[in-house]
Amino acid sequence: QKMDKRSPEEKLEDVEIKPLEQDRLNKVFGFICGQDKQKKEREYQDEIGKSKNQVVKNDKRDKITEGDLLVVLKNLGLDPKKSEVRDMIWEVDEDMDRCVSKEEFIKMYRRCVIDECFMEPRKLYNLVQFLMFDSGFKGRIAEEETLQLLYIRYG
């Protein structure tokens, strides 16, 4: 038996995400990112405060923050502690900016998909899986949507 000498990062690149899966992942990422209304207000205030010659730089605009996750989890009827939400982000936050970027989000998904020993942190992944099945983000999963995604993933 040949030994695979590729790095874990190289192996992740081989994980195929089907088009429907990618579409749902994109929707879930966008949905979670848009939940913290205070984040949006801070961004707006930052932009108003800048002169026309200054570049507006807000690192959290296209990232999942603690506030975003808190809102999503509360809307699902959960009452998480801030430390639990911080842990969900910390588990996948590779650049240690206390947020989850799109790249980190996709990498987390790929890692968990190929993890047969359940060694990868799964808190955020479990939430993402639920939201992928709940395409209307209503807090409920329809059997038909679930079966469709499972068929695409596992055949």
Side-chain angles (χ1 to χ4, degrees):
Q1 204 178 54
K2 276 191 167 181
M3 184 97 164
D4 191 353
K5 295 185 180 184
R6 296 177 301 157
S7 72
E9 294 295 318
E10 292 169 325
K11 290 176 187 177
L12 276 183
E13 293 303 316
D14 288 347
V15 176
E16 181 184 4
I17 298 178
K18 307 279 197 278
L20 179 63
E21 272 182 300
Q22 187 63 58
D23 180 56
R24 294 274 176 93
L25 281 170
N26 291 340
K27 287 179 181 173
V28 168
F29 184 81
F31 173 74
I32 296 174
C33 280
Q35 293 304 303
D36 184 357
K37 303 301 182 220
Q38 291 177 344
K39 177 174 73 171
K40 287 183 178 185
E41 180 62 27
R42 286 188 301 270
E43 290 170 3
Y44 177 72
Q45 294 300 327
D46 286 348
E47 288 183 29
I48 289 175
K50 303 287 181 184
S51 73
K52 291 180 182 177
N53 296 332
Q54 289 179 310
V55 175
V56 176
K57 181 175 168 130
N58 189 326
D59 291 352
K60 298 186 186 335
R61 179 170 297 162
D62 295 322
K63 295 184 179 186
I64 296 172
T65 64
E66 289 177 25
D68 292 323
L69 281 179
L70 272 171
V71 172
V72 170
L73 291 168
K74 285 183 179 184
N75 287 342
L76 290 172
L78 302 171
D79 190 24
K81 297 177 184 170
K82 285 187 179 184
S83 62
E84 293 172 318
V85 174
R86 235 178 262 126
D87 285 347
M88 287 175 76
I89 290 176
W90 178 82
E91 288 177 343
V92 298
D93 182 18
E94 293 188 359
D95 60 9
M96 302 305 288
D97 65 351
R98 294 183 172 167
C99 300
V100 178
S101 68
K102 183 80 174 262
E103 182 181 323
E104 292 166 333
F105 183 80
I106 298 298
K107 198 177 283 189
M108 170 270 309
Y109 183 79
R110 283 188 163 133
R111 283 181 177 150
C112 289
V113 164
I114 63 170
D115 179 26
E116 296 174 354
C117 299
F118 295 95
M119 299 297 285
E120 286 293 329
R122 299 184 98 70
K123 291 176 186 171
L124 182 59
Y125 174 76
N126 291 334
L127 174 63
V128 168
Q129 281 289 103
F130 179 84
L131 292 173
M132 285 177 72
F133 295 138
D134 178 18
S135 65
F137 305 120
K138 296 176 183 160
R140 295 184 305 275
I141 297 176
E143 183 179 352
E144 186 177 310
E145 292 172 345
T146 303
L147 291 174
Q148 181 185 27
L149 268 174
L150 289 174
Y151 178 75
I152 286 169
R153 166 61 43 210
Y154 300 106

